[in-house]
Amino acid sequence: MKSVIEIRNLTMKFGELMANEDVSFDIENNGIVSLIGPNGAGKTTLFNCVTGFYKPFSGKVTYWDEAGVEQDITGRPTHEICRKGITRNFQIVKTLSEMTVEQNIMTGAFLHTNKTSEARDLAEGVLRRTGLLARKDILGRNLTIAERKRVEIARALATEPRVLMLDECMAGLNQTEIKDVMNLILDLKAQGLTLLVVEHIMEAIMPISDKIVVLDSGKKIAEGPPQEIANNDEVIKAYLGEKYHAKSKKS
Amino acid sequence: MVKIKNIFKENLFALILLALFIIVPLAVGKNADIHNIIIYILIYAMVGEGWNLITGFAGQTSFGHAAYFGIGAYAVAVLGNKYDVVPWAGMLAGILIATTLAFLINFQLFRLKGHYFAIATLAVAEILRTLFSVWTYVGSGDGIKILFRPDNKVLWLAIDVRNRLPFLYITLALFVLVFILCKSLENSKMGFYWKAIRESHEVAESIGINPQHYKVYAMMLSAAIAAVGGGLYVQFFKYVDSVVFSLDVSMIFVLVTVLGGIGNVYGPIIGSIIYYTLDLSMRRLFGGTTSGINLIIFGILLVIVVVYQPRGIMGIFDDLVNRRRLAKEKALQRLDTGTPGEGSGGKA
C-alpha cells in the first residue's frame, strides 16, 4: 500500500522537555492508523506537529496529494495543510457554540464553495452521513458531549479531506456511543478516507485499526498490526509498569 | 410570488423599522429637535453596524473606531473646504483612506489578541487625535468647518436648518444600504468564517480558514462604514476638530451596539434608538440642574445589560420569540400524540 503521509525523525522539544523524539512512521492510503500510548506519551504533540499547530524542532513530514505529488508540509500553517486535504478535530471539543449544528458544518463546507446555498447542500450530505440530520437546528452549546464529538467529526468531514485525524474522539462516551463512532470510522474508511486516530480505549481501537503505533515518553516503542501490538513486551511494560510485567512473566 | 412573500416575512422586523423611519419624521412636522435626534440615531447606528462586523462577528474588540470615523469626517471637510470637492467624492476619499489605513495598521496589529489588541486600537485613535490637534494644514486645534452651499443641496449634501428632511432621508438611504450589506455579509461565507474565528481560532485554522486574512477583511469593511458615518456627521455638524478621535466618540459606537445586541445586525439600530430617545427625554427632564445624570443612568443600564443579557436587548427579544416557539411546538406535540416526536438523533 502506498503512503499518504510519511513522518521521518520527528522531534519536538518544549524547552528541555522532549515531547517527541525521533519518531518515524507511515500512514498508508485508505488505512486506519492508531496512535496509542500512556498519558503524556506525546500523542497530541505529534498530532499538532503534523497538522501545523506546532513547528517541529527537527524531522520531516511529507504528504502525497491526490495527484501523487510529493509535498513537504513540515511546519506549514494549519489552514494551508487543511486546504491540501488533511483535517483534524480536537481532543477538547471545540464546537462553535453560538452556531447551530448545520451552521457548524456549513463553516467547514465553505472551504470548497463561496455560495451559501451550495454550502448548505454539502452540509446536508454530511449531516446525513453522520446521522445528525434530526439535530441540525440545535445550537452547539445545547448538545451532549457525544453529539459535540460527532459534530466535530462532521465539521472536519465537510472540508472533504483525504486524511482525517481524530484526537480522542471517543473519550468520555458510553459503550453505545463508542460503538456508533467505531461504525462511523469504518464507514469513512469504506468511503475512501485515510484516518489517523489517537485513542485510549483499547477495545475500540483494536478491532478497527490496520496498524498501531505505540508511543512512550515521546519515543516510538512499537509499530504493527493490532494482534502483534497486544502481545508486544515493550507495550505491556509501558502500560502496566516494570513490576507487574515481571510478575506476569513469572506466573 | 411565494418567494417575495417569504422575503417579506423574514424581514418583517426590518421593514417595520424602515416604515417607522420614513413616517415618523413626516408625522412630527417641522420639529427640528426630533429630526436631529433621528439623524443622530442613524449616523451612530451606521457606525455601530461597522463596529459590529469586527467586534460582534469577528470577535476582535476595537476601542478605536473613532479613528476611521474621524478620517471620514476630515476627508469630507478638508477636501470640501480647501479644494471645493463635493461631499460625495469626499466620502469616497474617506473610505479609501480609512480602508488603506485599516489594512496597513491591522495587518500587523492582528498579531495581538484579546485585550492587547483592544488597547492597540485605542492607541491608534489617540495617535491620530494628537496628530490632528497640532497639524496646521487641517486647522490644528481650531478644527475645520464645512462651507454652506445653497446652490445644490443634494449634490453638496447641505443641511438646511429650516428643513432637515432631505438630509435625513439621504442618511436613512445610506443606513439602509449599510444594513443590507451587513445582513448579507452575515449569511455569506465571510460571515460564517468571522463567527468561526470569534469562537475559536484553532477551529477556524483546522477547517482551512486563515484567521489573519479574514480579520483584516472585517476591519477594512468596518473602517469603510465608519468613514461614511464620519462624512455624514461632519456635513450634519458643519464642523470637525480633533476631539472626533477621542475615546468618548469610540465609546458611543460600542455603547449603542452592546445595548442593542452585539453580533446581531439589528443591535446597533435598536441600541441607537433607545440611547438617543432616553438621552433626549432625560435631557428634557434633568437638563440644566443636574446635567450628567443621564451618563450615570446609561452606565447603570449598560451594567444591567452586560450582567443579565450579554446579547443585549435583541437577546431578550430572541429569547422571548424562542420561548413562544418552543411552547407552540410542545403544544403541537401534545395534540398529535399518535406520532412520536423526532428521535433524539446522534445515532447512525
Side-chain angles (χ1 to χ4, degrees), chain B residues 17 69 72-73 84 132 145 191 193 228 234 241 260 286 294 305 308 312 348:
Chain B
L17 271 179
F69 183 73
D84 249 8
F132 277 73
K145 62 174 188 285
Y193 276 16
V228 174
V234 76
D241 63 14
F286 307 115
N294 53 342
V305 164
Y308 290 102

Side-chain angles (χ1 to χ4, degrees), chain A residues 124-131 157 184 187-188 191 193, chain B residues 348:
Chain A
E124 205 194 305
V126 177
L127 281 164
R128 216 167 289 241
R129 270 160 86 190
T130 49
L157 275 179
L184 180 63
D187 280 352
L188 295 176
Q191 287 160 18
L193 265 80

Side-chain angles (χ1 to χ4, degrees), chain B residues 84-257:
Chain B
D84 249 8
V85 175
V86 287
W88 296 104
M91 243 182 239
L92 211 61
I95 292 175
L96 283 177
I97 300 169
T99 40
T100 314
L101 190 77
F103 173 76
L104 290 176
I105 292 174
N106 292 293
F107 201 71
Q108 287 303 309
L109 228 53
F110 275 129
R111 291 159 58 152
L112 301 172
K113 279 179 186 149
H115 305 310
Y116 302 102
F117 175 74
I119 293 167
T121 58
L122 211 157
V124 171
E126 275 304 298
I127 289 168
L128 287 174
R129 191 179 66 83
T130 317
L131 177 70
F132 277 73
S133 69
V134 293
W135 190 3
T136 42
Y137 178 73
V138 297
S140 62
D142 295 332
I144 194 161
K145 62 174 188 285
I146 295 280
L147 306 169
F148 182 59
R149 300 285 186 149
D151 38 333
N152 189 338
K153 287 204 190 84
V154 175
L155 182 66
W156 284 95
L157 205 68
I159 183 155
D160 188 337
V161 264
R162 280 154 305 170
N163 184 10
R164 288 151 212 252
L165 279 177
F167 187 82
L168 191 151
Y169 284 125
I170 289 172
T171 312
L172 179 62
L174 286 175
F175 174 76
V176 169
L177 283 180
V178 166
F179 183 85
I180 293 171
L181 174 75
C182 291
K183 201 160 161 54
S184 44
L185 276 172
E186 191 192 6
N187 293 316
S188 72
K189 178 175 181 169
M190 196 83 95
F192 273 83
Y193 276 16
W194 284 338
K195 285 184 191 169
I197 293 166
R198 175 185 70 194
E199 294 205 31
S200 166
H201 254 86
E202 285 91 15
V203 168
E205 283 196 53
S206 80
I207 52 177
I209 304 170
N210 186 341
Q212 190 85 359
H213 286 186
Y214 281 88
K215 285 193 289 192
V216 172
Y217 298 152
M219 200 52 151
M220 285 166 74
L221 277 164
S222 185
I225 293 170
V228 174
L232 286 169
Y233 166 89
V234 76
Q235 284 299 123
F236 179 50
F237 255 105
K238 302 195 187 73
Y239 169 80
V240 62
D241 63 14
S242 61
V243 174
V244 76
F245 291 112
S246 68
L247 182 62
D248 294 8
V249 177
S250 291
M251 276 307 158
I252 298 176
F253 316 137
V254 178
L255 193 65
V256 295
T257 313

Side-chain angles (χ1 to χ4, degrees), chain A residues 53 78-79 82-83 87-88 90 94-99 103 106-108 110-111 113-114 116 131 134-135 147 150 155 159 180, chain B residues 187-189 191-193 195-211 311 342-348:
Chain A
F53 270 73
T78 311
H79 52 87
C82 172
R83 254 173 272 145
T87 309
R88 67 167 294 181
F90 295 92
K94 291 175 195 264
T95 322
L96 304 174
S97 56
E98 295 299 321
M99 289 177 156
Q103 287 168 341
M106 277 169 75
T107 315
F110 271 120
L111 187 68
T113 174
N114 290 323
T116 309
R135 306 290 282 167
E147 286 166 342
R150 194 165 273 257
R155 191 179 58 213
T159 66
D180 285 342
Chain B
N187 293 316
S188 72
K189 178 175 181 169
F192 273 83
Y193 276 16
K195 285 184 191 169
I197 293 166
R198 175 185 70 194
E199 294 205 31
S200 166
H201 254 86
E202 285 91 15
V203 168
E205 283 196 53
S206 80
I207 52 177
I209 304 170
N210 186 341
R311 283 178 296 137
E342 194 107 42
S344 60
K347 297 196 171 69

Side-chain angles (χ1 to χ4, degrees), chain B residues 15-80:
Chain B
L15 290 170
I16 291 172
L17 271 179
L18 179 62
L20 280 177
F21 270 108
I22 293 171
I23 294 162
V24 170
L26 290 173
V28 295
K30 293 232 155 160
N31 189 333
D33 205 9
I34 295 200
H35 289 172
N36 276 351
I37 292 294
I38 294 175
I39 293 169
Y40 263 129
I41 288 175
L42 289 169
I43 292 176
Y44 287 117
M46 182 189 293
V47 187
E49 294 284 355
W51 184 79
N52 206 13
L53 291 184
I54 184 71
T55 308
F57 292 153
Q60 309 301 310
T61 312
S62 163
F63 287 146
H65 256 53
Y68 309 112
F69 183 73
I71 284 172
Y74 264 104
V76 170
V78 172
L79 289 174

Side-chain angles (χ1 to χ4, degrees), chain B residues 297-310:
Chain B
I297 293 176
F298 282 132
I300 295 170
L301 203 62
L302 197 64
V303 170
I304 292 173
V305 164
V306 170
V307 170
Y308 290 102
Q309 181 46 281

Side-chain angles (χ1 to χ4, degrees), chain A:
Chain A
M1 233 189 288
K2 211 180 162 345
S3 320
V4 232
I5 296 178
E6 190 184 85
I7 300 163
R8 285 289 170 271
N9 310 97
L10 194 106
T11 300
M12 182 69 202
K13 284 202 276 194
F14 295 109
E16 280 307 295
L17 180 82
M18 279 282 191
N20 287 135
E21 200 179 334
D22 212 17
V23 179
S24 302
F25 66 90
D26 291 352
I27 299 169
E28 286 85 13
N29 193 17
N30 199 13
I32 298 177
V33 176
S34 297
L35 198 57
I36 65 169
N39 284 324
K43 303 183 294 290
T44 300
T45 306
L46 185 83
F47 217 79
N48 284 338
C49 286
V50 176
T51 50
F53 270 73
Y54 297 151
K55 224 179 154 81
F57 181 75
S58 67
K60 195 175 173 191
V61 184
T62 316
Y63 170 69
W64 281 270
D65 68 7
E66 245 151 323
V69 180
E70 186 179 324
Q71 294 178 38
D72 183 4
I73 58 164
T74 326
R76 302 303 306 160
T78 311
H79 52 87
E80 199 184 305
I81 290 178
C82 172
R83 254 173 272 145
K84 288 188 196 296
I86 306 171
T87 309
R88 67 167 294 181
N89 80 340
F90 295 92
Q91 179 176 8
I92 299 153
V93 285
K94 291 175 195 264
T95 322
L96 304 174
S97 56
E98 295 299 321
M99 289 177 156
T100 65
V101 171
E102 188 184 32
Q103 287 168 341
N104 258 282
I105 297 167
M106 277 169 75
T107 315
F110 271 120
L111 187 68
H112 297 294
T113 174
N114 290 323
K115 285 208 192 90
T116 309
S117 56
E118 274 175 29
R120 191 168 284 124
D121 290 344
L122 284 171
E124 205 194 305
V126 177
L127 281 164
R128 216 167 289 241
R129 270 160 86 190
T130 49
L132 282 165
L133 204 56
R135 306 290 282 167
K136 76 181 170 90
D137 292 324
I138 313 281
L139 276 183
R141 65 185 140 100
N142 295 335
L143 294 171
T144 65
I145 190 78
E147 286 166 342
R148 278 177 198 225
K149 295 211 164 191
R150 194 165 273 257
V151 170
E152 289 256 311
I153 298 177
R155 191 179 58 213
L157 275 179
T159 66
E160 295 178 349
R162 285 182 69 221
V163 183
L164 183 61
M165 302 186 47
L166 301 173
D167 194 357
E168 303 215 5
C169 60
M170 300 181 200
L173 304 189
N174 68 30
Q175 291 300 323
T176 14
E177 288 161 349
I178 289 174
K179 268 266 155 54
D180 285 342
V181 178
M182 282 167 69
N183 287 331
L184 180 63
I185 291 176
L186 288 172
D187 280 352
L188 295 176
K189 188 193 166 186
Q191 287 160 18
L193 265 80
T194 306
L195 292 110
L196 176 68
V197 184
V198 169
E199 200 51 70
H200 264 307
I201 305 163
M202 290 306 145
E203 59 268 40
I205 226 58
M206 287 297 172
I208 60 170
S209 303
D210 295 314
K211 182 168 93 177
I212 291 183
V213 175
V214 192
L215 289 184
D216 185 30
S217 322
K219 292 187 196 108
K220 184 177 89 173
I221 56 170
E223 177 182 347
Q227 292 76 23
E228 219 176 282
I229 294 297
N231 299 321
N232 187 305
D233 278 355
E234 285 279 324
V235 179
I236 298 168
K237 226 189 282 174
Y239 269 88
L240 298 180
E242 201 81 48
K243 193 171 142 204
Y244 289 97
H245 177 61
K247 265 187 194 163
S248 73
K249 268 247 169 100
K250 233 179 270 170
S251 59

